[in-house]
Each structure stands twice: as C-alpha cells, then as structure tokens.
C-alpha cells in the first residue's frame, strides 16, 4: 500500500519568513495530493490540493509543487503570520483506491513574532 | 449548509465495554471514513465505506467495526474497548469521483478515553 513520509516534524519560523514542508510517497499510481491544516483541538481542514496532471498550484500565500518523477510534493507558505501556526498534514491517494487517503505524520509549524 | 457531525464529542468508558461513536453527514456523499489520531502517527484509517452496505477495513481495523445502512450515517463500534484505543476519532466524507480521489470533509472529532 501507499506510504507517505513528511518532514520536518516541527518547524519554527519568524513572522514574514517562508515555510516549506516536504512529503514523499511510495505508490507511483497516486495522483491526488491534498494538504490539511489542523489548529489545536479542531478538525483538519483542506487548504490546497493538487492533481498529478499539474506541477504547481498557488492560492494567495500558499503553494504546492509536485514532482512525479521523484515522487515528492511540497507545501510552501510565504509571508507567514501567527495564524499560520498549526499542524499541517500531507496526503496521497491513487485512482485504484479512489478517495482513500494515506496521510503523513504531520508538521507542527510555529510562527514566532 | 451541509455538515458532518460527530457525537459524542467526549466520552470516558471502561475497558471491556462496547462503545459506539456516531457520524452523520448532510453532504449526500457516498464515501465515508473513520480515522484515529494519535501523537506521532498522524491520521490512520480505521474503516471506510463507498456506499450503502459497503464497508472496508483500513490499516488499523482490529477491534473496530462499522455498518452503513444509509447514505448519511457511518457509526463506529468498539466491540470491547481497550486502553490502546484511547484516541481522538475523526469521521470524514467525500464525493465519489471518477478517477483521482476528492477532498475529504472532516467532523469535529470525538475524544475517547478508556480507563
């Protein structure tokens, strides 16, 4: 089955700096890659996703890049703000198991003033 | 607005008891999922369903069961609760899509403590 590895497990940046979280996946058939943000005590919420026919997607201060050859994808947050502090999860799914996601273990992002 | 609701939000029970966690969605989604979340493990899939009368085991299904008698509900049952099942449980749903999977919408979670 699919295996998703996520790094780093914790990340501390200063307000205004950029943050990058990286994930690798094992199943070359995976073709859908969402990112979720989870604030303390809250539900995971989708912040951005990318499909395998696209190499990059951007939504305001967040962007995701996908390298299918290397089987890795990354989340980029620019101009970080204190409200970006949360745990971020990457995930992957493949057509053969439509909608079934395998999650990474999460990255705790702390944005300091 | 469509929503996915979990109940109870918090529960404390004893080992050996049967426990059922409820999940109800008004998205009219065919796909529903149960995860447990533990520190250092992220979200791990327990069971999932692609429609009425369909259920499938996830990576950590031992000691858990689900049933899907209608589109809206996927209750999760712990047959005989064990302390190792103390966790936060999340239910999620997603639309059926041809080809690649689609975004999952999560409930607020149930914090379950087994003493």
């Amino acid at each position: 089955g699919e295996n998703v590895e996520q790094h780093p497990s914790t990340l501390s940046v200063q307000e205004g700096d950029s943050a990058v979280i990286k994930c690798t996946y094992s199943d070359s058939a995976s073709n859908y890659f969402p990112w979720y943000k989870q604030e303390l005590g809250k539900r995971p919420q989708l912040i951005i996703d990318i499909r395998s026919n696209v190499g990059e997607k951007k939504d305001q201060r967040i962007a995701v890049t996908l390298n299918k050859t290397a089987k890795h994808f990354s989340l980029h947050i620019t101009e970080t703000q204190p409200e970006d502090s949360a745990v971020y999860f990457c995930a992957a799914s493949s057509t053969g198991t439509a909608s079934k996601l395998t999650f990474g273990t999460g990255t705790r992002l702390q944005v300091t003033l | 607005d469509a929503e996915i609701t979990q109940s109870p939000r918090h529960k404390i029970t004893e080992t050996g008891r049967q426990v059922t966690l409820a999940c109800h969605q008004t998205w009219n989604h065919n796909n529903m999922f149960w995860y447990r979340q533990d520190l250092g493990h992220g979200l791990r899939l327990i069971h999932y369903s692609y429609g009425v009368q369909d259920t499938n085991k996830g990576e950590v299904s031992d000691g858990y069961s689900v049933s899907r008698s209608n589109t809206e509900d996927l209750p999760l049952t712990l047959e005989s609760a064990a302390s190792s099942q103390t966790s936060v449980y999340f239910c999620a749903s997603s639309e059926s899509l041809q080809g690649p999977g689609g975004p999952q919408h999560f409930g607020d979670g149930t914090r379950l403590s087994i003493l």
Side-chain angles (χ1 to χ4, degrees):
Chain A
E2 175 67 277
N3 181 51
V4 176
E5 295 191 356
Q6 183 172 347
H7 299 282
S9 57
T10 60
L11 179 60
S12 182
V13 300
Q14 285 197 319
E15 183 180 7
D17 288 349
S18 296
V20 180
I21 302 170
K22 298 181 179 181
C23 289
T24 60
Y25 60 98
S26 61
D27 187 351
S28 57
S30 289
N31 49 20
Y32 174 65
F33 307 92
W35 286 87
Y36 286 82
K37 175 183 180 182
Q38 187 179 27
E39 297 177 355
L40 191 62
K42 300 289 181 65
R43 69 177 76 181
Q45 291 197 305
L46 179 74
I47 55 172
I48 195 167
D49 58 9
I50 191 169
R51 299 185 187 278
S52 60
N53 58 347
V54 175
E56 183 174 358
K57 184 177 178 180
K58 190 173 182 179
D59 182 4
Q60 298 183 347
R61 294 187 298 108
I62 60 173
V64 57
T65 59
L66 171 64
N67 183 327
K68 285 198 68 181
T69 302
K71 289 191 283 188
H72 70 70
F73 56 112
S74 301
L75 178 71
H76 304 252
I77 306 174
T78 59
E79 300 172 19
T80 54
Q81 301 168 4
E83 51 265 38
D84 294 328
S85 295
V87 178
Y88 292 80
F89 292 96
C90 63
S93 89
S94 62
T95 303
T97 54
S99 296
K100 186 164 80 78
L101 294 174
T102 300
F103 284 84
T105 50
T107 296
R108 182 173 299 278
L109 174 65
Q110 180 72 42
V111 180
T112 58
L113 298 173
Chain B
D1 286 347
E3 187 53 273
I4 180 164
T5 306
Q6 294 184 235
S7 62
R9 292 295 315 280
H10 304 272
K11 186 169 181 68
I12 301 173
T13 191
E14 297 176 344
T15 55
R17 300 246 182 173
Q18 184 181 79
V19 179
T20 296
L21 309 183
C23 177
H24 178 82
Q25 53 98 3
T26 58
W27 290 95
N28 199 34
H29 286 161
N30 282 328
N31 305 329
M32 295 184 73
F33 309 85
W34 273 104
Y35 297 90
R36 60 177 289 173
Q37 185 173 39
D38 306 287
L39 198 62
H41 291 278
L43 291 152
R44 292 184 292 175
L45 185 62
I46 304 172
H47 281 286
Y48 58 103
S49 168
Y50 288 150
V52 177
Q53 302 301 331
D54 175 75
T55 61
N56 306 279
K57 294 182 178 180
E59 63 176 306
V60 290
S61 60
D62 286 350
Y64 304 94
S65 64
V66 294
S67 61
R68 187 89 181 269
S69 58
N70 59 53
T71 300
E72 295 80 18
D73 299 289
L74 187 70
L76 176 72
T77 297
L78 287 68
E79 304 294 344
S80 177
S83 57
S84 60
Q85 294 176 309
T86 291
S87 186
V88 179
Y89 291 86
F90 285 98
C91 180
S93 71
S94 71
E95 195 176 356
S96 291
L97 295 174
Q98 294 298 322
Q104 293 185 13
H105 302 268
F106 283 80
D108 285 327
T110 294
R111 184 173 295 275
L112 178 63
S113 297
I114 300 166
L115 307 178

Short mmCIF file of all heavy atoms in Angstrom, two decimals, chain B residues 17-46:
data_model
loop_
_atom_site.label_atom_id
_atom_site.label_comp_id
_atom_site.label_asym_id
_atom_site.label_seq_id
_atom_site.Cartn_x
_atom_site.Cartn_y
_atom_site.Cartn_z
N ARG B 17 -15.99 -2.57 27.70
CA ARG B 17 -17.31 -2.09 27.31
C ARG B 17 -17.39 -1.93 25.79
O ARG B 17 -16.40 -1.69 25.12
CB ARG B 17 -17.60 -0.76 27.96
CG ARG B 17 -17.57 -0.79 29.47
CD ARG B 17 -18.93 -0.53 30.00
NE ARG B 17 -18.93 -0.51 31.47
CZ ARG B 17 -19.97 -0.16 32.17
NH1 ARG B 17 -21.08 0.22 31.58
NH2 ARG B 17 -19.93 -0.19 33.49
N GLN B 18 -18.60 -2.05 25.27
CA GLN B 18 -18.85 -1.74 23.86
C GLN B 18 -19.17 -0.25 23.75
O GLN B 18 -19.93 0.30 24.55
CB GLN B 18 -20.01 -2.56 23.31
CG GLN B 18 -20.25 -2.34 21.81
CD GLN B 18 -21.43 -3.14 21.29
OE1 GLN B 18 -22.59 -2.77 21.49
NE2 GLN B 18 -21.13 -4.27 20.66
N VAL B 19 -18.56 0.38 22.77
CA VAL B 19 -18.74 1.82 22.58
C VAL B 19 -19.09 2.07 21.12
O VAL B 19 -18.48 1.46 20.22
CB VAL B 19 -17.44 2.60 22.91
CG1 VAL B 19 -17.64 4.08 22.67
CG2 VAL B 19 -17.01 2.32 24.34
N THR B 20 -20.03 2.95 20.88
CA THR B 20 -20.38 3.33 19.51
C THR B 20 -20.26 4.84 19.35
O THR B 20 -20.83 5.60 20.14
CB THR B 20 -21.79 2.88 19.14
OG1 THR B 20 -21.84 1.44 19.16
CG2 THR B 20 -22.15 3.34 17.73
N LEU B 21 -19.51 5.25 18.35
CA LEU B 21 -19.35 6.66 18.02
C LEU B 21 -20.17 6.94 16.76
O LEU B 21 -20.09 6.19 15.78
CB LEU B 21 -17.88 6.98 17.77
CG LEU B 21 -16.89 6.55 18.85
CD1 LEU B 21 -15.48 7.01 18.49
CD2 LEU B 21 -17.30 7.05 20.21
N ALA B 22 -20.91 8.03 16.81
CA ALA B 22 -21.81 8.35 15.69
C ALA B 22 -21.17 9.35 14.75
O ALA B 22 -20.41 10.23 15.16
CB ALA B 22 -23.13 8.90 16.21
N CYS B 23 -21.50 9.20 13.46
CA CYS B 23 -21.09 10.14 12.42
C CYS B 23 -22.24 10.32 11.45
O CYS B 23 -22.75 9.34 10.90
CB CYS B 23 -19.87 9.62 11.68
SG CYS B 23 -19.37 10.69 10.31
N HIS B 24 -22.65 11.57 11.26
CA HIS B 24 -23.79 11.88 10.40
C HIS B 24 -23.40 13.02 9.47
O HIS B 24 -22.92 14.06 9.92
CB HIS B 24 -24.99 12.30 11.27
CG HIS B 24 -26.20 12.68 10.49
ND1 HIS B 24 -27.09 11.75 9.99
CD2 HIS B 24 -26.67 13.90 10.10
CE1 HIS B 24 -28.06 12.38 9.33
NE2 HIS B 24 -27.82 13.67 9.39
N GLN B 25 -23.58 12.81 8.14
CA GLN B 25 -23.24 13.86 7.20
C GLN B 25 -24.44 14.22 6.33
O GLN B 25 -25.25 13.36 5.98
CB GLN B 25 -22.04 13.46 6.33
CG GLN B 25 -22.14 12.13 5.62
CD GLN B 25 -22.57 12.20 4.17
OE1 GLN B 25 -22.77 13.29 3.61
NE2 GLN B 25 -22.71 11.03 3.54
N THR B 26 -24.53 15.51 6.03
CA THR B 26 -25.64 16.00 5.18
C THR B 26 -25.11 16.48 3.83
O THR B 26 -25.79 17.23 3.14
CB THR B 26 -26.40 17.13 5.90
OG1 THR B 26 -25.48 18.18 6.22
CG2 THR B 26 -27.06 16.63 7.16
N TRP B 27 -23.90 16.06 3.46
CA TRP B 27 -23.34 16.40 2.16
C TRP B 27 -23.93 15.52 1.05
O TRP B 27 -23.73 15.79 -0.12
CB TRP B 27 -21.82 16.19 2.16
CG TRP B 27 -21.04 17.17 2.97
CD1 TRP B 27 -20.63 17.01 4.26
CD2 TRP B 27 -20.56 18.44 2.56
NE1 TRP B 27 -19.91 18.11 4.67
CE2 TRP B 27 -19.85 19.00 3.65
CE3 TRP B 27 -20.65 19.16 1.37
CZ2 TRP B 27 -19.24 20.26 3.59
CZ3 TRP B 27 -20.03 20.40 1.30
CH2 TRP B 27 -19.35 20.93 2.41
N ASN B 28 -24.57 14.41 1.44
CA ASN B 28 -25.03 13.40 0.48
C ASN B 28 -23.84 12.74 -0.23
O ASN B 28 -23.91 12.38 -1.42
CB ASN B 28 -25.99 13.99 -0.56
CG ASN B 28 -26.82 12.91 -1.24
OD1 ASN B 28 -27.18 11.90 -0.64
ND2 ASN B 28 -27.13 13.12 -2.52
N HIS B 29 -22.74 12.60 0.50
CA HIS B 29 -21.55 11.94 -0.03
C HIS B 29 -21.69 10.43 0.07
O HIS B 29 -22.17 9.91 1.07
CB HIS B 29 -20.31 12.38 0.75
CG HIS B 29 -19.87 13.76 0.45
ND1 HIS B 29 -19.03 14.47 1.29
CD2 HIS B 29 -20.09 14.58 -0.61
CE1 HIS B 29 -18.78 15.66 0.76
NE2 HIS B 29 -19.42 15.75 -0.38
N ASN B 30 -21.20 9.74 -0.95
CA ASN B 30 -21.19 8.28 -0.90
C ASN B 30 -20.05 7.75 -0.03
O ASN B 30 -20.17 6.71 0.59
CB ASN B 30 -21.05 7.69 -2.30
CG ASN B 30 -22.36 7.73 -3.06
OD1 ASN B 30 -23.43 7.62 -2.47
ND2 ASN B 30 -22.29 7.89 -4.36
N ASN B 31 -18.92 8.46 -0.02
CA ASN B 31 -17.73 7.96 0.68
C ASN B 31 -17.66 8.49 2.10
O ASN B 31 -17.81 9.68 2.34
CB ASN B 31 -16.46 8.41 -0.05
CG ASN B 31 -16.45 8.00 -1.51
OD1 ASN B 31 -17.02 6.98 -1.89
ND2 ASN B 31 -15.82 8.82 -2.33
N MET B 32 -17.44 7.59 3.06
CA MET B 32 -17.26 7.99 4.46
C MET B 32 -16.10 7.22 5.06
O MET B 32 -15.83 6.06 4.66
CB MET B 32 -18.54 7.74 5.26
CG MET B 32 -19.70 8.62 4.81
SD MET B 32 -21.17 8.43 5.83
CE MET B 32 -20.68 9.31 7.32
N PHE B 33 -15.41 7.84 6.00
CA PHE B 33 -14.16 7.31 6.54
C PHE B 33 -14.10 7.54 8.05
O PHE B 33 -14.60 8.55 8.55
CB PHE B 33 -12.96 8.02 5.91
CG PHE B 33 -12.97 8.06 4.42
CD1 PHE B 33 -13.66 9.06 3.75
CD2 PHE B 33 -12.30 7.11 3.68
CE1 PHE B 33 -13.69 9.11 2.36
CE2 PHE B 33 -12.32 7.14 2.29
CZ PHE B 33 -13.01 8.15 1.63
N TRP B 34 -13.45 6.61 8.75
CA TRP B 34 -13.11 6.80 10.15
C TRP B 34 -11.61 6.73 10.33
O TRP B 34 -10.95 5.81 9.82
CB TRP B 34 -13.76 5.72 11.03
CG TRP B 34 -15.15 6.04 11.47
CD1 TRP B 34 -16.31 5.53 10.99
CD2 TRP B 34 -15.53 6.95 12.51
NE1 TRP B 34 -17.39 6.06 11.65
CE2 TRP B 34 -16.93 6.93 12.59
CE3 TRP B 34 -14.81 7.78 13.37
CZ2 TRP B 34 -17.63 7.70 13.52
CZ3 TRP B 34 -15.51 8.54 14.28
CH2 TRP B 34 -16.90 8.50 14.35
N TYR B 35 -11.06 7.73 11.07
CA TYR B 35 -9.65 7.79 11.38
C TYR B 35 -9.47 7.88 12.90
O TYR B 35 -10.33 8.39 13.60
CB TYR B 35 -9.00 9.04 10.78
CG TYR B 35 -9.01 9.12 9.28
CD1 TYR B 35 -10.06 9.73 8.61
CD2 TYR B 35 -7.95 8.62 8.54
CE1 TYR B 35 -10.06 9.83 7.23
CE2 TYR B 35 -7.94 8.71 7.15
CZ TYR B 35 -9.01 9.31 6.51
OH TYR B 35 -9.00 9.41 5.13
N ARG B 36 -8.31 7.43 13.34
CA ARG B 36 -7.90 7.76 14.70
C ARG B 36 -6.63 8.61 14.61
O ARG B 36 -5.81 8.44 13.69
CB ARG B 36 -7.68 6.52 15.56
CG ARG B 36 -6.64 5.56 15.10
CD ARG B 36 -6.48 4.39 16.09
NE ARG B 36 -5.84 4.82 17.33
CZ ARG B 36 -5.70 4.06 18.41
NH1 ARG B 36 -6.17 2.81 18.41
NH2 ARG B 36 -5.09 4.52 19.49
N GLN B 37 -6.52 9.54 15.56
CA GLN B 37 -5.37 10.44 15.56
C GLN B 37 -4.62 10.32 16.87
O GLN B 37 -5.19 10.60 17.93
CB GLN B 37 -5.78 11.90 15.32
CG GLN B 37 -4.60 12.84 15.20
CD GLN B 37 -5.00 14.23 14.81
OE1 GLN B 37 -6.01 14.77 15.25
NE2 GLN B 37 -4.19 14.85 13.94
N ASP B 38 -3.38 9.92 16.79
CA ASP B 38 -2.52 9.77 17.95
C ASP B 38 -1.22 10.52 17.69
O ASP B 38 -0.74 10.57 16.54
CB ASP B 38 -2.21 8.29 18.21
CG ASP B 38 -3.45 7.45 18.34
OD1 ASP B 38 -4.12 7.57 19.38
OD2 ASP B 38 -3.78 6.69 17.40
N LEU B 39 -0.65 11.05 18.76
CA LEU B 39 0.58 11.83 18.63
C LEU B 39 1.66 10.98 17.97
O LEU B 39 1.89 9.84 18.35
CB LEU B 39 1.04 12.26 20.03
CG LEU B 39 2.04 13.42 20.07
CD1 LEU B 39 1.43 14.66 19.46
CD2 LEU B 39 2.46 13.67 21.52
N GLY B 40 2.29 11.55 16.95
CA GLY B 40 3.37 10.86 16.26
C GLY B 40 2.92 9.94 15.14
O GLY B 40 3.76 9.42 14.39
N HIS B 41 1.60 9.74 15.02
CA HIS B 41 1.08 8.84 13.98
C HIS B 41 0.21 9.53 12.95
O HIS B 41 -0.18 8.92 11.97
CB HIS B 41 0.29 7.70 14.62
CG HIS B 41 1.13 6.74 15.39
ND1 HIS B 41 1.84 5.70 14.81
CD2 HIS B 41 1.39 6.66 16.71
CE1 HIS B 41 2.48 5.03 15.73
NE2 HIS B 41 2.23 5.57 16.90
N GLY B 42 -0.11 10.75 13.15
CA GLY B 42 -0.98 11.42 12.21
C GLY B 42 -2.37 10.81 12.22
O GLY B 42 -2.88 10.38 13.26
N LEU B 43 -2.99 10.76 11.06
CA LEU B 43 -4.34 10.22 10.91
C LEU B 43 -4.23 8.83 10.28
O LEU B 43 -3.73 8.68 9.17
CB LEU B 43 -5.17 11.13 10.01
CG LEU B 43 -5.52 12.48 10.62
CD1 LEU B 43 -5.70 13.52 9.54
CD2 LEU B 43 -6.79 12.36 11.45
N ARG B 44 -4.74 7.84 10.98
CA ARG B 44 -4.69 6.47 10.48
C ARG B 44 -6.10 5.97 10.21
O ARG B 44 -6.99 6.12 11.04
CB ARG B 44 -3.97 5.56 11.48
CG ARG B 44 -2.48 5.85 11.61
CD ARG B 44 -1.80 4.87 12.53
NE ARG B 44 -2.23 5.04 13.92
CZ ARG B 44 -1.86 4.24 14.91
NH1 ARG B 44 -1.08 3.19 14.66
NH2 ARG B 44 -2.28 4.47 16.14
N LEU B 45 -6.27 5.36 9.05
CA LEU B 45 -7.58 4.93 8.58
C LEU B 45 -8.02 3.65 9.29
O LEU B 45 -7.30 2.65 9.30
CB LEU B 45 -7.53 4.72 7.07
CG LEU B 45 -8.83 4.38 6.36
CD1 LEU B 45 -9.84 5.52 6.50
CD2 LEU B 45 -8.54 4.10 4.89
N ILE B 46 -9.24 3.67 9.85
CA ILE B 46 -9.76 2.51 10.57
C ILE B 46 -10.67 1.69 9.65
O ILE B 46 -10.45 0.49 9.43
CB ILE B 46 -10.56 2.96 11.81
CG1 ILE B 46 -9.71 3.85 12.71
CG2 ILE B 46 -11.04 1.73 12.59
CD1 ILE B 46 -10.50 4.49 13.85
#
